[in-house]
Amino acid sequence: GEVEAKLYEPMRRHSTMLVGGPAQFWLEPHTFDAFASVVNYCRERGMAIRVVGRGSNLLVRDGGIRGAVIHPKGGQFDECYVNESGQIVAGAGVRLKKLAGVARSAGIGGFEWMEGIPGNVGGALRMNAGAMGVETFQQVVRMTSLDEDGEIRTRERGEIEVHYRNVPELRRNFALQAVFAGVPDSADQIDERWEASRLKRRSSQPLAASAGCIFKNPSEIPAGMLVDQLGFKGRGEGKAEVSLEHGNFIVNRGGATAAEVLAVIENIRREAREKRGIELETEVKV
Ligand code: EPU
């Protein structure tokens, strides 16, 4: 009852881009202990392990994923509440949208930038997701993870190395839960920032299926501006197309394949390198 399992689960069902072949073993543990058991079981058998949350920053190839894909969901993973210190405790399976809503209802400010982020807490921690000039780890107080050695540990923010869209320890450890802090604020102030975030997003980002920003912003220029200047907007490969709204989004016009998306990514990277001498790195997990 603590783990649900499926064979050959189509990953397009678990990616906001709506692409990707089947996961050989799809496993949904509902508790931290069940998650640890699943990971240990797979490791002992030498199976490859991937953890996938909402799949909002993910590009799975058409051939799918061999081995285990673990999807933390339900039970402890979906818990989101304000603790006795006025901080927000959220499991890896909680959507950032939900976290932002819990903060808003409790009169805790600082989470408004999460209002439009489709991803889950686990994924946001893994990549230190951000928007509106704020990053996930600016609000993390402590994080609980299943470590490489099979132990579940909690670390304070100061013990965790964090970079732009990169948290090195989460390449080895799996985030299970985090405690977040904001600042007490009035409903009006929170609503104002919430609305500003929503307006900025709605005016500059596409609504069509996508994986959010494809590339990390290089130091030279925002990736979206670069792709725009290179003339890629509206161009693509099959059903995968660079968004007309924002150059750093590739949208699925319906039935796109991962191969098409990857071809668009490679075309952009080549031109950025050849014409501008800029090496673009993907932000989405390929
Ligand atoms: N721009 C263009 N053309 C475009 C897109 C953007 O000229 O097609 C220009 C904008 O006018 C602006 C600059 O590029 O001057 C930066 O654009 P924007 O303000 O949209 O921010 P961004 O750096 O492209 C970042 C995050 C987004 C986040 C937004 C909003 C990265 C890679 N992206 O985008 O995050 O939503 O800020 O706060 O850091 C994501 O992580 O998936 C994501 C979408």
Side-chain angles (χ1 to χ4, degrees), residues 85-89 99 103 108-111 113-114 136-142 178-184:
S85 311
Q87 298 165 333
I88 303 175
V89 182
L99 176 53
I108 303 171
F111 292 86
W113 65 274
M114 296 180 180
T136 302
F137 271 86
Q138 290 172 4
Q139 289 175 277
V140 170
V141 178
R142 66 184 69 89
V179 178
F180 297 85
V183 280

Side-chain angles (χ1 to χ4, degrees), residues 255-281:
T257 63
E260 288 169 350
V261 179
L262 285 166
V264 177
I265 291 174
E266 280 321 308
N267 286 339
I268 294 171
R269 293 190 73 216
R270 187 180 331 105
E271 281 209 26
R273 192 181 306 126
E274 288 172 2
K275 295 196 174 153
R276 305 287 292 268
I278 296 173
E279 202 55 51
L280 286 173
E281 232 187 286

Side-chain angles (χ1 to χ4, degrees), residues 80-102:
C80 185
Y81 59 89
V82 180
N83 68 12
E84 61 287 345
S85 311
Q87 298 165 333
I88 303 175
V89 182
V94 172
R95 286 182 71 172
L96 289 198
K97 228 183 251 294
K98 159 92 183 191
L99 176 53
V102 167

